[in-house]
Amino acid sequence: MDFPSFLTSLATSFLIFMVLMFLFTWLSRKPGNVVVYFPNRILKGVDPLEGGSRTRNPFAWIRECMSSTEKDVINIIEIFHSEQSTSVFPELQSVALTCLFIVLVLGILVLSGIILLPALLPVSATDVNIKSASKNTTSKGTFNDLDKLSIGNVTAKSPRLWAFLVAVYWVSFVTYYLLWKAYNHVSALRAEALMSSEVKPQQFAVLVRDVPAVPKGQTIKKHVDSYFESIYRDEFYRSMVVTNNKEVNKIYKELEGYKKKLAHAEAIYAGSKKGGNGEGTRPTTKTGCLGLFGNKVDSIDYFNKKINELVPKLEAEQKVTLREKQQPSALVFFSSRVTAACAAQSLHAQMVDKWTAIDAPEPRDLLWSNLKIKFFERQLRQYLIYILVALTILFYMIPIGLISAFTTLSNLKKLLPFIKAVVDIGALKTVLEAYLPQIALLVFLAMLPKLLLFLSKVEGIPSESHAIRAASGKYFYFSVLNVFIGVTLSASLFSTFKSIQDHPSSIITVLSDSLPGNATFFVTFVALKFFVGYGLELSRIVPLIIYHLKRKYLCKTEAERKEAWLPGDLSYGTRIPGDLLVITIVFCYSCISPLIIPFGVLYFALGWLILRNQALNVYVPKYESYGRMWPHIFLRVVAALILFQVTMFGYIGSKKFVYAPFLIPLIIISLIFAFICDKKFYRAFCNTALEVASHNLKESPNMEHIYRSYIPKSLCSEKPDEDQFDDALSHVSRTESSV
């Protein structure tokens, strides 16, 4: 990439961001758009434009974000807990955790940049390696002014390399210090959230899997009850045995679908009466596939008929499910938080594949269809998924490498000579060089998250939040191995394959020289992510357009309009790995090309500002996992740090600097640091500490209410048979489709 292309990339990305930001400030002040830009405030019952400051000052949102405290972000009021109750209490939500992570990274980069920029830039700029050996230029002779500011301008064996070696130590120790403080801080926040005096159903429940074979003459319910009652006696409340709800959920979803269609048809009919026609026009529908084929019938009568047919069918299936489709898993409820915490951490059987107990996720978070999977099957699935993911990473590296190699204009002109006349046009060439590789890479990566989440659920993981954490880890390693390492190596190998073929021993030199040469690619990659990505997130142009189209053409009832603007939660499984990829890139290039540090700071500073705005005004959390993502974030930051240290060891070594082995102890220190933090903090994130669980509650828990909060809607009959159905509730479960 030449210098004009680099400037074009940065300038156009910045221009796009400014346009999107001004669109946000203008559109968010329109009363008709408040449900898109302030859904969280609306659900809290707060006036979105309270005080009028937003209508008078287009940048009031920035002041609001800057003045809000950490508590303001953490104390997000949860609206959708269950139909039976609305829960309001402080929680360590995913958005708040992401804000804490961004603050951590900002601290690392700012403290690193304070030393690295004034120290390393003069050391690089005052050497003469590029002038004396043009083959070492980081941009093949077209980017000399910036080449001088990288380690590529430092000659081999130069004592100046000491500055870069010491810089690696500085970045590493800054990271150790801030990571330790952050882990300690998040641990305290988790404890504070768990010590809440409010009653939370999941703190009184334990998920028990691998229920052994039932003795003859007993039901699973009696087997579970007798086992836990004999151990916990007075504190045991009752159990809820998992069942296979596939069929009942299917009927329930069909019934709810017809109820929505009926409400929609009635709203259309009521609207037709207001149009001047006193009788109104009754809507019609076709009875065939998707309402597009078949006989035309009166919609209201048809939907009422379908509802009347499905209600008794649902009630019959509920009874069959509750009695005949029980699975070897259960939720066990206790009247004490301490007892539940003890039970979740205890070994209940001599064999580990029987009576496996863990903390129960909250009702919204459970993946019910995975609860029946037995212990050894879960282990086998886990190893098979790991192998499959490893193979996927390896095979994906091939197309990633091809994208990296083929989307450079020089390579495209070699492969497709007929486009030469078009791409040689000055303005077009500049734009294509600035954006083509980065856009191709971002589009290709967008295909991955759903695949990785599906694979994580196949492992047999019991909760949605755990599956997202697992998918997030897979996506991070996938991104690092394919984007960072794949792009760095494949571009160089593709362009220098012939010279490596002639001189195989030159591969180390070629790969080390490729690192500075790809710095400009990653600078523009990071700039594109934060300017365009954050601009789209802030402006919410796509959700705004979709909402207004639905509101005008599809939504007739208030429920449909609300469903059209509900924003959902932060995309945790992709947001965190994306940020971790950026910190990996900035880490690895912080000493090679220190100019990347300001771009990293800008990325995370904008991310902090925009994410805080979205946390206060937009996102509605789906569930609460009390910061359990943090240990995974921590380990991946350490992994990025170790990759940085290994990269610098290899690169400084390729410069024939005899003191490069001084970096080896630093890698060992990183491993020891991760081990110590794991031993000190991790256990408290896996289980609830008893000193936390013993904190006093504001009121005595309503155990029947806690128990029923886990009952799915598909098993709650409107007209139950009291004698039979009440007993069957002890056997209740649900699959993820009913969550």
Side-chain angles (χ1 to χ4, degrees):
M1 182 186 295
D2 57 20
F3 191 62
S5 297
F6 177 74
L7 290 181
T8 299
S9 175
L10 295 183
T12 51
S13 295
F14 178 72
L15 182 62
I16 291 171
F17 174 76
M18 293 302 295
V19 170
L20 291 172
M21 188 177 71
F22 279 111
L23 276 175
F24 163 72
T25 58
W26 175 55
L27 293 171
S28 63
R29 290 184 287 169
K30 303 292 183 183
N33 298 334
V34 292
V35 292
V36 175
Y37 292 103
F38 308 100
N40 201 348
R41 284 175 174 260
I42 292 172
L43 292 171
K44 293 176 188 177
V46 178
D47 181 5
L49 304 176
E50 186 177 7
S53 61
R54 284 180 174 269
T55 58
R56 295 190 301 269
N57 182 1
F59 299 106
W61 67 276
I62 297 177
R63 186 179 67 248
E64 181 182 87
C65 293
M66 298 291 289
S67 62
S68 62
T69 65
E70 183 182 78
K71 288 291 183 184
D72 295 329
V73 179
I74 291 177
N75 294 339
I76 297 172
I77 299 177
E78 179 56 82
I79 301 298
F80 305 105
H81 186 270
S82 68
E83 284 295 309
Q84 292 82 6
S85 76
T86 300
S87 181
V88 182
F89 45 75
E91 298 180 341
L92 187 55
Q93 300 286 3
S94 57
V95 179
L97 199 65
T98 308
C99 287
L100 292 171
F101 163 63
I102 290 177
V103 170
L104 162 69
V105 175
L106 264 176
I108 293 171
L109 295 183
V110 169
L111 289 178
S112 299
I114 287 173
I115 300 299
L116 266 58
L117 288 170
L120 298 187
L121 292 181
V123 170
S124 300
T126 54
D127 212 336
V128 293
N129 188 45
I130 290 176
K131 292 181 181 179
S132 62
S134 60
K135 66 179 181 179
N136 290 326
T137 179
T138 62
S139 300
K140 300 170 183 60
T142 62
F143 212 174
N144 290 330
D145 290 338
L146 292 184
D147 289 342
K148 295 176 183 177
L149 302 178
S150 76
I151 194 173
N153 194 39
V154 179
T155 54
K157 301 181 182 180
S158 171
R160 293 169 182 256
L161 292 169
W162 270 111
F164 296 90
L165 191 148
V166 173
V168 177
Y169 269 86
W170 170 253
V171 174
S172 300
F173 280 100
V174 164
T175 305
Y176 299 148
Y177 173 70
L178 293 180
L179 272 176
W180 180 274
K181 285 191 64 178
Y183 215 148
N184 202 35
H185 180 57
V186 176
S187 182
L189 290 175
R190 171 178 163 81
E192 182 182 349
L194 290 171
M195 286 191 297
S196 170
S197 58
E198 300 287 343
V199 174
K200 305 174 187 179
Q202 63 273 21
Q203 291 187 306
F204 294 86
V206 171
L207 174 61
V208 178
R209 306 170 83 178
D210 311 308
V211 175
V214 179
K216 190 174 181 180
Q218 274 194 347
T219 63
I220 295 180
K221 168 74 169 87
K222 289 181 179 178
H223 185 40
V224 173
D225 283 354
S226 62
Y227 181 83
F228 282 94
E229 193 170 14
S230 67
I231 298 174
Y232 297 99
R233 303 185 185 279
D234 296 337
E235 285 80 13
F236 171 74
Y237 178 66
R238 67 193 297 188
S239 66
M240 179 183 290
V241 177
V242 172
T243 60
N244 183 351
N245 286 3
K246 183 177 180 180
E247 188 61 32
V248 74
N249 282 332
K250 181 180 176 182
I251 298 171
Y252 178 78
K253 287 178 68 177
E254 187 179 3
L255 176 61
E256 290 300 302
Y258 280 120
K259 286 181 178 179
K260 288 182 180 180
K261 289 178 181 179
L262 176 61
H264 183 88
E266 289 175 340
I268 292 175
Y269 181 49
S272 69
K273 292 181 179 180
K274 297 177 182 178
N277 184 357
E279 294 295 324
T281 304
R282 292 179 71 85
T284 59
T285 188
K286 293 184 178 180
T287 58
C289 180
L290 301 175
L292 301 175
F293 307 98
N295 298 326
K296 185 179 288 188
V297 296
D298 183 281
S299 296
I300 296 175
D301 292 341
Y302 177 71
F303 295 144
N304 271 316
K305 178 184 175 183
K306 284 292 184 182
I307 290 170
N308 292 333
E309 290 175 357
L310 286 171
V311 167
K313 185 178 178 181
L314 175 65
E315 291 176 355
E317 183 58 36
Q318 285 173 338
K319 294 181 180 181
V320 171
T321 299
L322 294 167
R323 293 194 181 96
E324 301 177 10
K325 298 183 179 181
Q326 300 174 26
Q327 304 293 325
S329 183
L331 286 158
V332 179
F333 297 88
F334 300 92
S335 57
S336 164
R337 290 199 300 189
V338 174
T339 306
C342 288
Q345 302 173 42
S346 301
L347 182 66
H348 286 87
Q350 186 68 24
M351 298 296 137
V352 295
D353 62 332
K354 299 185 187 304
W355 299 110
T356 307
I358 60 172
D359 287 314
E362 61 172 296
R364 303 168 295 177
D365 195 18
L366 276 166
L367 292 175
W368 297 88
S369 59
N370 281 349
L371 302 186
K372 63 183 179 183
I373 301 173
K374 300 292 282 184
F375 181 84
F376 287 112
E377 184 183 347
R378 295 198 300 270
Q379 299 298 312
L380 180 61
R381 285 183 179 219
Q382 188 178 54
Y383 291 128
L384 289 176
I385 292 300
Y386 287 167
I387 294 170
L388 183 58
V389 169
L391 291 174
T392 305
I393 290 173
L394 291 175
F395 281 111
Y396 243 70
M397 189 173 285
I398 296 172
I400 287 279
L402 292 176
I403 286 176
S404 172
F406 293 156
T407 52
T408 60
L409 285 188
S410 59
N411 291 329
L412 281 176
K413 285 190 285 186
K414 290 177 185 177
L415 295 169
L416 306 171
F418 60 88
I419 69 169
K420 186 175 180 180
V422 177
V423 299
D424 281 343
I425 300 172
L428 183 60
K429 177 183 177 182
T430 299
V431 172
L432 288 176
E433 281 190 337
Y435 284 113
L436 186 60
Q438 291 85 349
I439 292 175
L441 184 59
L442 289 172
V443 170
F444 205 70
L445 287 173
M447 300 162 58
L448 281 170
K450 287 189 177 180
L451 170 65
L452 297 178
L453 182 59
F454 168 77
L455 292 175
S456 297
K457 289 181 178 180
V458 170
E459 289 182 38
I461 287 171
S463 67
E464 184 80 21
S465 60
H466 189 176
I468 289 175
R469 292 197 299 272
S472 174
K474 294 178 179 69
Y475 191 55
F476 166 70
Y477 292 116
F478 195 99
S479 300
V480 169
L481 290 171
N482 285 286
V483 178
F484 175 65
I485 297 177
V487 168
T488 300
L489 301 188
S490 60
S492 298
L493 288 174
F494 185 86
S495 60
T496 59
F497 183 77
K498 192 174 187 312
S499 66
I500 293 174
Q501 192 176 30
D502 295 337
H503 305 285
S505 61
S506 66
I507 187 170
I508 295 176
T509 304
V510 169
L511 296 184
S512 64
D513 287 343
S514 72
L515 285 168
N518 284 289
T520 54
F521 170 85
F522 285 116
V523 167
T524 52
F525 177 79
V526 172
L528 186 65
K529 277 180 70 70
F530 70 74
F531 278 137
V532 180
Y534 285 147
L536 287 171
E537 183 175 347
L538 179 67
S539 63
R540 291 181 58 80
I541 291 296
V542 175
L544 180 69
I545 294 171
I546 292 173
Y547 164 70
H548 281 295
L549 287 175
K550 285 183 175 180
R551 182 172 174 270
K552 185 171 183 179
Y553 298 107
L554 299 177
C555 299
K556 300 299 180 182
T557 67
E558 190 60 36
E560 289 174 336
R561 281 189 285 272
K562 184 177 181 180
E563 187 177 345
W565 58 256
L566 276 178
D569 204 351
L570 173 71
S571 300
Y572 213 0
T574 54
R575 172 62 187 260
I576 290 291
D579 289 347
L580 286 168
L581 173 62
V582 172
I583 189 57
T584 303
I585 292 170
V586 177
F587 264 159
C588 291
Y589 280 93
S590 60
C591 294
I592 292 172
S593 184
L595 279 180
I596 201 171
I597 295 176
F599 288 93
V601 170
L602 190 56
Y603 174 88
F604 287 104
L606 272 177
W608 176 84
L609 184 67
I610 291 170
L611 189 64
R612 181 159 285 210
N613 177 77
Q614 306 301 79
L616 294 170
N617 300 313
V618 179
Y619 293 127
V620 178
K622 294 179 180 178
Y623 51 78
E624 173 55 48
S625 61
Y626 300 103
R628 284 191 174 180
M629 185 70 170
W630 187 260
H632 298 261
I633 293 174
F634 167 81
L635 284 177
R636 284 158 185 87
V637 173
V638 173
L641 181 66
I642 292 173
L643 180 60
F644 158 61
Q645 293 163 350
V646 171
T647 300
M648 289 306 299
F649 169 67
Y651 186 79
I652 293 177
S654 73
K655 287 279 189 179
K656 302 176 183 178
F657 189 57
V658 295
Y659 299 103
F662 279 21
L663 289 175
I664 294 176
L666 198 55
I667 299 170
I668 298 171
I669 292 171
S670 295
L671 295 172
I672 294 172
F673 174 75
F675 176 78
I676 292 172
C677 287
D678 179 75
K679 292 301 178 184
K680 180 176 177 64
F681 297 110
Y682 183 66
R683 180 71 187 277
F685 282 81
C686 287
N687 302 111
T688 302
L690 298 185
E691 67 175 0
V692 171
S694 62
H695 197 76
N696 292 331
L697 291 169
K698 185 166 59 177
E699 58 185 21
S700 298
N702 184 333
M703 292 307 301
E704 188 64 19
H705 176 75
I706 290 172
Y707 175 79
R708 289 183 175 271
S709 68
Y710 278 89
I711 299 175
K713 298 176 184 177
S714 61
L715 288 172
C716 292
S717 176
E718 295 178 2
K719 298 178 180 179
D721 182 330
E722 294 296 339
D723 294 334
Q724 295 177 334
F725 200 75
D726 185 62
D727 179 67
L729 284 175
S730 297
H731 310 145
V732 78
S733 169
R734 59 181 175 180
T735 61
E736 59 180 300
S737 61
S738 70
V739 175

